[in-house]
Amino acid sequence: MRKKIIAGNWKMNMLPNEAISFINEFTPLVNNTQNEVVLCVPYTDLFYTLLNVQGTNIKVGAQNMHWESTGAYTGEISGEMLKCINVDYVIIGHSERRQYFAETDETVNKKLKKALSVGLKPIVCVGETLQEKEDGKAIDIITAQIKKALDGLNEEEVKNTIIAYEPIWAIGTGKTATAEDANESIITIRKEIEKNYGKNVAECVIILYGGSVKSTNAKELFTTSDIDGGLVGGASLKPEEFAKIVNFDKE
Ligand code: PEP
């Protein structure tokens, strides 16, 4: 059975003192969960977060990385740099990076290969815009993104890749895909993986939903057949609210 992962994406929020207060309040609220709990924090919070989650069940992730190991890439951070300070996860290809920072399917693929090669757990984001949804192109867009992101990976690497289906129209808007629609899209992603890598691989891949997840809709989303948890933005900034999402299966 696939493990549920609940990952918070803090985006460009939280000063170190705020991160530490969050962790102090959040840790006791989630210490009984069987779900994997991940905080994807800004680079400047990584060190403080890693220190403060020591001895807890909380894992730490970054929100981006470069595909090269070292070099003249001012302002960038490599996968090796993240791995060597004990970061476990990294988000790759978030729609905000695709929209504002020229991330493409090609750079997503390069970053994914590097993340896997250094032992980071990549969370690769895919999803359609509102226009693409309205034009009936959502499935084509998502399957093309998946195909390009996974290009050149072997079966083991695909198994180790976490995918987050995040319809762009649902991110930070308060609009959530219905549990049924989100599950259907994720089934389509799993079928696309099955087509190229076989059923065994497809059944192992963890696929998350993201887009205005809250404590009030988490259970409905995460108890469908194929949604294996969530990537949570806004609601992951509030310890109590995020803990309720992590504990969706406890009520
Ligand atoms: C996200 O940042 O990946 C996200 C899904 O944001 P929100 O939960 O705020 O929609």
Side-chain angles (χ1 to χ4, degrees):
M1 209 175 105
R2 295 183 297 269
K3 189 170 181 148
K4 298 277 187 207
I5 299 180
I6 315 296
N9 173 16
W10 283 358
K11 312 195 187 194
M12 197 173 73
N13 293 294
M14 297 283 213
L15 297 172
N17 62 320
E18 294 170 320
I20 294 166
S21 307
F22 178 101
I23 293 160
N24 288 341
E25 196 179 333
F26 180 65
T27 303
L29 303 176
V30 296
N31 62 4
N32 276 326
T33 184
Q34 297 302 309
N35 304 324
E36 178 93 330
V37 189
V38 186
L39 295 175
C40 297
V41 307
Y43 292 136
T44 47
D45 287 337
L46 281 174
F47 183 70
Y48 301 93
T49 307
L50 284 158
L51 272 182
N52 283 276
V53 301
Q54 269 179 21
T56 76
N57 56 336
I58 300 168
K59 302 289 191 317
V60 178
Q63 300 170 11
N64 182 34
M65 55 168 271
H66 198 272
W67 59 84
E68 293 290 350
S69 304
T70 57
Y73 300 102
T74 303
E76 290 291 330
I77 300 285
S78 72
E80 284 88 341
M81 289 170 174
L82 297 174
K83 186 67 190 171
C84 87
I85 61 165
N86 287 332
V87 169
D88 274 314
Y89 287 81
V90 61
I91 299 174
I92 295 176
H94 191 281
S95 61
E96 287 152 13
R97 295 213 60 84
R98 292 180 191 250
Q99 186 180 353
Y100 304 128
F101 304 102
E103 191 86 81
T104 64
D105 290 327
E106 288 67 37
T107 59
V108 167
N109 178 250
K110 286 191 201 180
K111 290 178 181 188
L112 174 57
K113 284 177 177 157
K114 172 55 88 172
L116 289 163
S117 78
V118 300
L120 288 165
K121 295 177 184 163
I123 302 175
V124 177
C125 301
V126 297
E128 78 283 2
T129 63
L130 184 59
Q131 191 61 55
E132 289 161 347
K133 177 182 157 66
E134 285 173 355
D135 292 347
K137 292 188 190 145
I139 296 300
D140 289 348
I141 296 289
I142 303 163
T143 47
Q145 285 175 337
I146 291 289
K147 217 169 161 177
K148 288 181 195 161
L150 302 182
D151 187 44
L153 265 58
N154 64 35
E155 289 185 4
E156 211 45 41
E157 289 171 326
V158 175
K159 278 188 191 171
N160 291 330
T161 300
I162 299 154
I163 292 166
Y165 167 60
E166 301 206 303
I168 295 168
W169 49 268
I171 297 179
T173 58
K175 288 184 198 144
T176 321
T178 65
E180 206 186 338
D181 284 353
N183 194 44
E184 276 308 313
S185 299
I186 287 179
I187 289 172
T188 304
I189 292 172
R190 211 176 287 291
K191 283 198 182 129
E192 180 62 26
I193 297 171
E194 183 177 336
K195 215 163 72 188
N196 299 311
Y197 298 93
K199 198 172 176 62
N200 173 38
V201 174
E203 285 303 319
C204 289
V205 177
I206 293 176
I207 311 181
L208 313 178
Y209 167 77
S212 298
V213 173
K214 318 183 246 305
S215 59
T216 47
N217 59 24
K219 187 171 183 176
E220 199 190 348
L221 287 159
F222 302 163
T223 51
T224 52
S225 66
D226 278 66
I227 302 180
D228 301 321
L231 182 57
V232 185
S236 74
L237 295 169
K238 302 172 208 135
E240 227 183 297
E241 172 67 3
F242 191 43
K244 281 188 193 161
I245 296 172
V246 169
N247 294 320
F248 74 93
D249 47 356
K250 289 225 184 306
E251 282 143 35

